[in-house]
Amino acid sequence: MKYQENVSLATLTTMQLGGFAKYVVEITTEKDLVAAIEFARERDLPWFVLGGGSNVIGRDDGFDGVIFLNKIKGIEVVSRNNNEFLIKCGSGEILDDLVAYSVSRGLTGIEAMSAIPGTVGGAVFQNSGAYGQDLSQVLVNVTAYDSEKQTFVVFDYDQLNLSYRQSIFNSSAKSRYFITTITIKLRPGQITGELYKSLQIYLNERGITDRDPATIRRAVTDIRAGKLPDPAVEPSAGSFFHNVTLTNDEATKLRAEYPNAPIFTMNSQEVLAAGWLIEQCGLKGKVLHGMRVSDKAALILINDHARNYADLAAAREEILATVKTKFNVTLEQEPENL
């Protein structure tokens, strides 16, 4: 196992902010992982898992611990029949590569999650999803290393506590487990049921009627490219605020006052698009403390010329206060602070 010392968090995260990590270790195998956890334990240091760095914000004081860079790879079909395929995937794989793998085999279940940045492990961590699909709909189990019991464990679906952008890994068991592999269940064929509104509009405008996984993947990739900045060109952390989960009464009230409010149902919950709230407050395209609210999608904050985490925090608080004043809704930050 090799490690680096005093590595800039700005080089490891797509928002390009933050001080220095004391140590950084690359994890490619389970053996690497066990050794890295022992390395941290011997030095009585905390550890933090990073994949692509797209959903993490580095703070100015850095991280006085060990960063585990997740590079555990591998995608394979472990079983199949006429109705379903079970696919096992390493947590360090890029999520979009897993989507491409499944789509190339004509499988449906995650094609609408195309072009989401980050790794498979990070996607499980926060139950990632988009355009009506999320991992909770296809996950079968997750293998992870339990740093307390020092052993590998398998979580079946019912043990994962999955809900909107939530799992056991970012809530009750946070900082205890390192996800190593996942198994998902997909099926041959096409997406069924009502499509996510903006996806259906895109297809209608182009006269596209088929729902082949490759067709949906192309559509979603094109939609995302048109409204989401490339973090390699414009430093950002993807969606900066969670969409807002509403009670039925809150959803009814908002629909009455704002008939065009983008409220959709996700896993039996009413969810309001946070970007719409920000845009309605007139903040789209604004530069606040060196952070720019994207003029393509108000849910995205871009590091225009912020000098440090304090600048980002000031911009975040100004947005929160503005939305709270207008809608009496409290937004929550999606990327995790490191």
Side-chain angles (χ1 to χ4, degrees):
M1 184 200 74
K2 296 181 179 179
Y3 64 85
Q4 296 175 278
E5 297 184 67
N6 299 320
V7 178
S8 170
L9 295 176
T11 66
L12 300 176
T13 57
T14 57
M15 188 63 91
Q16 298 182 14
L17 291 174
F20 291 83
K22 190 175 184 68
Y23 297 106
V24 172
V25 177
E26 188 170 291
I27 309 295
T28 60
T29 65
E30 291 183 350
K31 184 178 178 180
D32 286 343
L33 172 57
V34 174
I37 288 179
E38 183 60 26
F39 177 87
R41 183 179 291 112
E42 287 174 350
R43 290 158 179 78
D44 195 27
L45 293 173
W47 50 272
F48 188 94
V49 182
L50 265 184
S54 61
N55 200 46
V56 177
I57 306 295
R59 288 181 286 198
D60 299 336
D61 53 358
F63 184 65
D64 189 22
V66 187
I67 299 291
F68 295 169
L69 293 182
N70 186 2
K71 304 292 183 180
I72 297 177
K73 302 290 187 176
I75 307 175
E76 62 174 329
V77 175
V78 293
S79 71
R80 59 181 292 184
N81 58 37
N82 291 334
N83 296 316
E84 64 183 34
F85 282 59
L86 291 184
I87 298 175
K88 184 176 181 179
C89 182
S91 59
E93 288 283 355
I94 299 301
L95 177 61
D96 192 55
D97 290 343
L98 175 59
V99 177
Y101 179 94
S102 69
V103 167
S104 70
R105 287 156 177 78
L107 303 177
T108 183
I110 58 174
E111 62 270 39
M113 295 168 61
S114 293
I116 293 177
T119 60
V120 167
V124 174
F125 183 83
Q126 66 160 357
N127 186 24
S128 291
Y131 298 98
Q133 292 180 340
D134 65 37
L135 277 181
S136 73
Q137 299 164 359
V138 298
L139 267 175
V140 175
N141 60 51
V142 172
T143 300
Y145 186 77
D146 184 340
S147 64
E148 291 185 7
K149 295 184 177 180
Q150 300 182 47
T151 187
F152 288 92
V153 295
V154 177
F155 289 89
D156 291 327
Y157 176 86
D158 291 342
Q159 298 173 293
L160 295 172
N161 295 342
L162 297 168
S163 61
Y164 179 71
R165 299 300 175 264
Q166 291 286 313
S167 73
I168 189 175
F169 303 110
N170 66 0
S171 55
S172 60
K174 189 174 181 180
S175 302
R176 176 174 174 176
Y177 297 98
F178 184 113
I179 299 166
T180 55
T181 62
I182 74 167
T183 302
I184 60 174
K185 179 166 58 179
L186 305 177
R187 61 177 180 79
Q190 301 182 2
I191 191 171
T192 59
E194 184 178 355
L195 293 183
Y196 194 84
K197 184 176 179 180
S198 60
L199 175 57
Q200 186 66 70
I201 290 173
Y202 177 95
L203 297 175
N204 290 345
E205 288 176 344
R206 289 157 180 78
I208 299 171
T209 57
D210 82 82
R211 293 185 171 191
D212 182 80
T215 299
I216 299 300
R217 173 169 169 76
R218 285 192 296 269
V220 169
T221 300
D222 194 38
I223 293 170
R224 292 180 70 91
K227 70 178 186 178
L228 301 178
D230 181 351
V233 178
E234 298 178 287
S236 69
S239 298
F240 194 83
F241 295 103
H242 285 294
N243 288 329
V244 181
T245 301
L246 304 171
T247 65
N248 289 335
D249 287 345
E250 288 172 335
T252 299
K253 183 178 179 180
L254 265 171
R255 285 192 177 101
E257 189 170 357
Y258 301 95
N260 295 322
I263 300 172
F264 57 95
T265 302
M266 175 70 74
N267 297 334
S268 302
Q269 295 175 298
E270 297 278 32
V271 179
L272 171 64
W276 179 84
L277 294 171
I278 297 168
E279 185 172 353
Q280 294 300 304
C281 289
L283 296 174
K284 193 173 184 179
K286 297 290 186 182
V287 177
L288 310 170
H289 309 279
M291 299 298 302
R292 174 162 46 90
V293 180
S294 173
D295 57 2
K296 293 182 178 180
L299 195 59
I300 309 294
L301 294 188
I302 297 168
N303 183 357
D304 191 88
H305 60 272
R307 297 165 298 175
N308 47 42
Y309 177 84
D311 286 341
L312 181 147
R316 177 190 63 214
E317 295 309 309
E318 188 167 335
I319 294 169
L320 290 175
T322 304
V323 170
K324 180 70 173 178
T325 298
K326 184 173 178 63
F327 291 100
N328 194 32
V329 170
T330 300
L331 295 179
E332 294 182 2
Q333 179 178 319
E334 181 170 321
E336 186 171 6
N337 289 331
L338 173 55

